[in-house]
Amino acid sequence: MSDILQQLEIRRDEARMGGGQRRIDVQHSKGKLTARERLEVLLDEGSFEEFDMFVAHRCVDFGMDKQKYPGDGVVTGWGTINGRMVYVYSQDFTVLGGSLSATHAQKICKIMDMAMRNGAPVIGLNDSGGARIQEGVDALGGYADVFQKNVLASGVVPQISVIMGPCAGGAVYSPAMTDFIFMVRDSSYMFVTGPDVVKTVTNEVVTAEELGGARTHTTKSSVADGAYDNDMEALYEVRRLFDFLPLNNREKAPTRPFNDTPSRVESSLDTLVPGNPNAPYDMSELVRKLADEGDFFEIQAEFAKNILTGFIRLEGKTVGVVANQPMVLAGCLDIDASRKAARFVRFCDAFEIPILTLVDVPGFLPGTGQEYGGVIKHGAKLLFAYGEATVPKVTVIVRKAYGGAYDVMASKHLRGDFNYAWPTAQIAVMGASGAVEIIHRADLGDADKIAAHTADYEARFASPFVAAERGFIDEVILPHNTRLRVTRAFASLRGKQLKNPWKKHDNIPL
């Protein structure tokens, strides 16, 4: 018996070494952790339970029968993060460059199936050279099997991808279908075709970092939701995000202990909005002053900065936040902002996370670039997302809410549950000067008349009280009491039940 136990330990030690000490040293020399070290950081100490440690590939072509490693380049299993279950896979670059084989894919598919059956999120740590060329179509089939699991798991359990090395070719599509993607600066990249192929086909000379690095995907393409300086920081931030999320679509997000009071008064909010209606201010200040302990986990912070998205807690409960940012493009909605916010709203709705919308939007960004790029359809994505969402929705109009953008930003007409406005709110078809130029075109040569018409328009339309008289605004609230009013609103909506008409699925304007 002792011989058998000793043999087991020997085989386990061999599997834990991955591609061997030399390759582990190379991984460390690049400032990267190994697949198992990453799981040790991500998961609670001692919680990891591994599956398929001894699985090996079955390829015999091109001398592959002499290159077999236990685990076949990916470590899979489950563990806990702050005591809550999560399924994980971590690709091992020390084993054949982390390349995906048929058995490698089967291991990933197995834990994804288990995650859906048991109602727990999936976190994938990606560090792979792509499909294993020696296996040909078997490797491609393995990718497609993983893609299908991503599709089926979408909206059932949260899926998080962390790109911690190369991710190229077909490998990029699995992370692209997950809910959140995070990258590591200077050591991770994603692209469909690499720099060499790009140069051959298009004659463009570009580095891997420029083509698909963390900066590119967080500021230009919006593929990634965030980027961090090293493996450790990325994994700790994923743990932090995980604490905001429910385990699946049938459970509520966790309630965390909090050291804050719902009735906290923030007197500084009374002076947050400048007297000049065209002067900017930082909307993130309002978000943080509403949140428990000022904790705001921002999503896609470096992309479409004219709108903020992310998670806060109120009374220890997760709330998704969408907020126009007057510091950038005056808070206008454009193509990028609409896509960013629409995806976030749909995630929140899929996982029963209430949505708080903070509004200061002068309209949609005008121009041929926007129209040619399809701002109509992209703006409709955000409209569609809010309109189909059945979760509790609380909206606060802080300043401007003009034109169609007023409708889009979780208005009462899109089944907003509580719609508040500050006294500084301006709710109208457009700004007073533009409206007067249209309505009173005949008086444009008379400055006194135009000034009088402008003042009249502002009094009659550019205030929250006309909308309040119509019932489109439930209450005009004092800025310093916003946290209290919003917190109480969400508390009253915890039992909300609302269902959309039966359908196989909707047809969102993609």
Side-chain angles (χ1 to χ4, degrees):
M1 184 65 177
S2 61
D3 291 342
I4 296 174
L5 296 178
Q6 186 176 10
Q7 184 182 0
L8 172 62
E9 285 305 315
I10 291 172
R11 295 192 63 171
R12 282 181 172 174
D13 289 342
E14 180 186 357
R16 292 187 186 109
M17 289 300 293
Q21 189 61 51
R22 184 180 64 82
R23 289 176 180 166
I24 291 173
D25 292 341
V26 171
Q27 183 87 341
H28 287 163
S29 70
K30 297 176 181 178
K32 297 163 62 176
L33 300 176
T34 65
R36 292 179 182 279
E37 289 168 344
R38 288 166 176 163
L39 292 178
E40 288 175 5
V41 175
L42 177 66
L43 302 174
D44 296 338
E45 185 176 356
S47 71
F48 181 54
E49 296 282 347
E50 186 170 353
F51 295 143
D52 296 331
M53 176 182 273
F54 305 120
V55 164
H57 69 75
R58 296 182 288 271
C59 180
V60 296
D61 297 315
F62 307 105
M64 289 300 292
D65 54 326
K66 299 179 179 63
Q67 295 189 65
K68 291 197 175 187
Y69 298 87
D72 202 25
V74 63
V75 183
T76 61
W78 68 274
T80 61
I81 295 177
N82 290 327
R84 302 168 68 229
M85 177 182 281
V86 61
Y87 285 83
V88 293
Y89 68 87
S90 181
Q91 292 180 314
D92 188 350
F93 196 78
T94 71
V95 175
L96 301 172
S99 57
L100 183 136
S101 66
T103 50
H104 182 126
Q106 287 169 8
K107 290 181 64 174
I108 295 174
C109 289
K110 178 192 281 190
I111 66 113
M112 293 184 73
D113 282 336
M114 295 188 73
M116 284 187 280
R117 284 198 299 267
N118 296 300
V122 177
I123 299 177
L125 309 183
N126 295 262
D127 189 359
S128 169
R132 193 169 298 166
I133 297 171
Q134 295 90 334
E135 293 203 12
V137 73
D138 285 343
L140 297 180
Y143 269 131
D145 291 337
V146 175
F147 301 158
Q148 183 63 62
K149 299 300 182 186
N150 288 131
V151 172
L152 296 178
S154 181
V156 178
V157 295
Q159 301 178 79
I160 301 172
S161 298
V162 191
I163 314 302
M164 311 191 82
C167 186
V172 299
Y173 293 113
S174 175
M177 288 188 285
T178 61
D179 299 305
F180 300 103
I181 300 175
F182 299 101
M183 299 183 72
V184 180
R185 297 186 184 97
D186 301 323
S187 65
S188 69
Y189 50 85
M190 300 175 71
F191 38 64
V192 175
T193 51
D196 294 338
V197 176
V198 169
K199 185 174 188 296
T200 300
V201 176
T202 71
N203 210 31
E204 291 178 274
V205 177
V206 64
T207 66
E209 185 64 31
E210 292 169 336
L211 183 62
R215 180 174 177 79
T216 295
H217 287 312
T218 54
T219 63
K220 295 180 180 179
S221 72
S222 82
V223 167
D225 297 288
Y228 304 103
D229 289 335
N230 53 60
D231 286 9
M232 294 286 286
E233 184 184 3
L235 294 168
Y236 281 130
E237 287 299 303
V238 170
R239 283 179 61 95
R240 183 172 160 234
L241 171 63
F242 185 86
D243 280 348
F244 283 97
L245 306 181
L247 293 179
N248 56 66
N249 61 358
R250 296 179 181 273
E251 292 189 20
K252 299 286 188 182
T255 300
R256 293 295 179 190
F258 63 100
N259 299 306
D260 208 338
T261 173
S263 59
R264 170 166 49 80
V265 171
E266 282 289 348
S267 299
S268 62
L269 296 182
D270 290 339
T271 55
L272 177 66
V273 177
N276 179 354
N278 297 317
Y281 61 92
D282 189 358
M283 184 65 85
S284 68
E285 181 181 345
L286 173 56
V287 176
R288 296 183 191 282
K289 286 183 176 178
L290 295 183
D292 289 351
E293 289 95 33
D295 186 18
F296 176 39
F297 190 99
E298 190 169 356
I299 300 296
Q300 291 198 344
E302 298 302 316
F303 179 76
K305 293 184 178 183
N306 44 323
I307 201 160
L308 305 173
T309 57
F311 299 106
I312 64 172
R313 292 188 185 89
L314 295 173
E315 293 189 293
K317 300 180 185 300
T318 300
V319 172
V321 175
V322 178
N324 305 114
Q325 174 56 288
M327 297 284 287
V328 181
L329 295 175
C332 278
L333 289 173
D334 62 357
I335 291 171
D336 290 342
S338 298
R339 288 195 301 112
K340 170 182 170 179
R343 177 166 171 77
F344 182 77
V345 168
R346 283 172 66 85
F347 174 82
C348 290
D349 189 50
F351 290 100
E352 287 298 317
I353 296 174
I355 301 169
L356 170 63
T357 306
L358 304 174
V359 183
D360 187 349
V361 59
F364 281 89
L365 186 66
T368 56
Q370 290 292 303
E371 296 294 353
Y372 295 169
V375 68
I376 295 170
K377 273 215 167 180
H378 292 294
K381 291 174 183 173
L382 182 54
L383 174 63
F384 196 105
Y386 269 124
E388 74 168 346
T390 60
V391 294
K393 293 182 284 191
V394 175
T395 302
V396 181
I397 299 177
V398 177
R399 188 168 62 176
K400 296 175 183 175
Y402 289 165
Y406 155 74
D407 291 320
V408 169
M409 293 297 293
S411 63
K412 180 64 71 176
H413 321 279
L414 298 182
R415 302 189 297 187
D417 295 298
F418 283 74
N419 291 72
Y420 293 133
W422 283 8
T424 48
Q426 304 169 14
I427 305 168
V429 174
M430 62 176 64
S433 60
V436 167
E437 288 177 8
I438 294 172
I439 298 171
H440 301 286
R441 186 173 295 135
D443 294 333
L444 286 179
D446 190 325
D448 291 338
K449 283 187 177 181
I450 290 296
H453 291 320
T454 301
D456 178 59
Y457 185 90
E458 288 177 343
R460 293 175 62 188
F461 297 104
S463 81
F465 299 105
V466 175
E469 289 170 5
R470 303 292 194 276
F472 301 157
I473 296 297
D474 297 305
E475 177 70 283
V476 180
I477 64 173
L478 296 170
H480 64 258
N481 280 338
T482 305
R483 174 173 159 85
L484 171 63
R485 301 303 293 268
V486 168
T487 300
R488 284 175 58 83
F490 280 121
S492 75
L493 293 168
R494 285 175 194 157
K496 177 183 176 181
Q497 293 186 340
L498 176 64
K499 290 186 177 179
N500 291 326
W502 185 91
K503 61 186 83 172
K504 184 176 181 181
H505 59 74
D506 55 49
N507 188 21
I508 187 171
L510 295 173

